[in-house]
Amino acid sequence: GAVVSQHPSWVICKSGTSVKIECRSLDFQATTMFWYRQFPKQSLMLMATSNEGSKATYEQGVEKDKFLINHASLTLSTLTVTSAHPEDSSFYICSWGGTPSDTQYFGPGTRLTVL
Amino acid sequence: GESVGLHLPTLSVQEGDNSIINCAYSNSASDYFIWYKQESGKGPQFIIDIRSNMDKRQGQRVTVLLNKTVKHLSLQIAATQPGDSAVYFCAEKNGYSSASKIIFGSGTRLSIRP
């Protein structure tokens, strides 16, 4: 149980394009989504928190117009990196909270490379 | 984010020995702490947690120690195995609910010598 998927698992795009990352909970429903970003050899940094049907709350220093979060349902959330640039290249990880077991479940991550 | 981006220190341990990974946390209001294991290219995997009203908790081959006075957390892995090779992160929360955000601390890469 508690399976989280992210799609795509990796993506390479050209600078200036937008990339959408999906995070799904496959066998449970949850109210809260956390999006993290991890640069090579660094820790996970929380970008934003969202609840279904509400606007996301962004951490300090994270541009809300650049990283669009759509929390569509209790099983699907998306992160769109708009007008991506090489400095946005990173490992993006989602995590579901507010789960029935009250445990937070992490996704497998999406590797974004912007050329 | 609140976590600090640092290049990861490495702990090298002989296979079969015990490993001790240390972490200093930042927020004295945090009341729940978690250790995660992250293998290359994967998401973090829960190892063990501890609430602030405890100072020690044991799991299978792992023990977490909490010293609130100096805001220090440690993870002890007994009889370290090759499969324990990974990066280990401590994390802190304010509140036990899974809807509370988790803030990750700096990580440590554990390397196992045969």
Side-chain angles (χ1 to χ4, degrees), chain B:
Chain B
E2 298 174 32
S3 64
V4 178
L6 299 173
H7 290 280
L8 300 173
T10 298
L11 174 65
S12 180
V13 174
Q14 189 79 33
E15 182 178 349
D17 287 353
N18 297 335
S19 302
I20 300 176
I21 300 171
N22 296 302
C23 173
Y25 64 91
S26 57
N27 188 353
S28 57
S30 293
D31 52 12
Y32 182 46
F33 303 90
I34 312 163
W35 279 99
Y36 288 94
K37 173 185 181 183
Q38 187 182 31
E39 296 175 322
S40 182
K42 297 183 179 180
Q45 173 189 351
F46 173 90
I47 300 174
I48 191 168
D49 58 1
I50 188 168
R51 296 190 176 196
S52 60
N53 60 354
M54 303 171 70
D55 52 22
K56 180 178 180 179
R57 189 159 189 239
Q58 289 186 288
Q60 187 177 11
R61 275 203 313 121
V62 294
T63 301
V64 55
L65 299 178
L66 174 63
N67 185 331
K68 295 182 290 295
T69 302
V70 294
K71 294 192 285 187
H72 184 268
L73 203 61
S74 70
L75 176 70
Q76 300 178 6
I77 304 174
T80 309
Q81 302 170 357
D84 295 328
S85 291
V87 177
Y88 291 81
F89 292 99
C90 63
E92 58 188 296
K93 290 179 62 173
N94 190 348
Y96 304 140
S97 167
S98 64
S100 301
K101 61 184 181 182
I102 293 174
I103 301 301
F104 282 78
S106 56
T108 297
R109 180 176 301 281
L110 180 62
S111 172
I112 314 302
R113 301 192 303 271

Side-chain angles (χ1 to χ4, degrees), chain A residues 31-32 34 36 38 41-46 49 59-60 62 91 93 97-99 102-104 106-109 111, chain B residues 1-8 36 38 41-44 89 93 96-107:
Chain A
T31 59
T32 307
F34 303 95
Y36 291 85
Q38 185 178 29
K41 297 184 180 180
Q42 293 190 18
S43 186
L44 284 76
M45 295 187 67
L46 181 65
T49 303
E59 295 296 307
Q60 190 174 6
V62 179
F91 193 50
I93 303 169
T99 63
D102 209 21
T103 300
Q104 206 170 106
F106 285 84
R111 173 77 57 194
Chain B
E2 298 174 32
S3 64
V4 178
L6 299 173
H7 290 280
L8 300 173
Y36 288 94
Q38 187 182 31
K42 297 183 179 180
F89 292 99
K93 290 179 62 173
Y96 304 140
S97 167
S98 64
S100 301
K101 61 184 181 182
I102 293 174
I103 301 301
F104 282 78
S106 56

Side-chain angles (χ1 to χ4, degrees), chain A:
Chain A
V3 179
V4 179
S5 72
Q6 283 187 235
H7 179 80
S9 55
W10 61 270
V11 56
I12 301 173
C13 70
K14 292 182 179 180
S15 185
T17 60
S18 294
V19 174
K20 180 185 287 187
I21 301 170
E22 289 187 353
C23 178
R24 294 180 184 272
S25 58
L26 302 185
D27 53 1
F28 65 93
Q29 293 184 330
T31 59
T32 307
M33 166 58 55
F34 303 95
W35 283 100
Y36 291 85
R37 177 170 55 180
Q38 185 178 29
F39 293 110
K41 297 184 180 180
Q42 293 190 18
S43 186
L44 284 76
M45 295 187 67
L46 181 65
M47 299 174 68
T49 303
S50 72
N51 289 290
E52 188 225 0
S54 301
K55 288 185 178 180
T57 301
Y58 290 81
E59 295 296 307
Q60 190 174 6
V62 179
E63 299 174 57
K64 62 180 176 65
D65 294 329
K66 181 169 182 61
F67 299 99
L68 303 179
I69 292 172
N70 184 353
H71 195 143
S73 71
L74 297 177
T75 60
L76 172 64
S77 177
T78 61
L79 170 70
T80 300
V81 183
T82 62
S83 186
H85 288 95
E87 58 267 29
D88 299 321
S89 298
S90 189
F91 193 50
Y92 292 86
I93 303 169
C94 66
S95 178
W96 287 99
T99 63
S101 63
D102 209 21
T103 300
Q104 206 170 106
Y105 297 112
F106 285 84
T110 295
R111 173 77 57 194
L112 170 63
T113 301
V114 185
L115 302 177

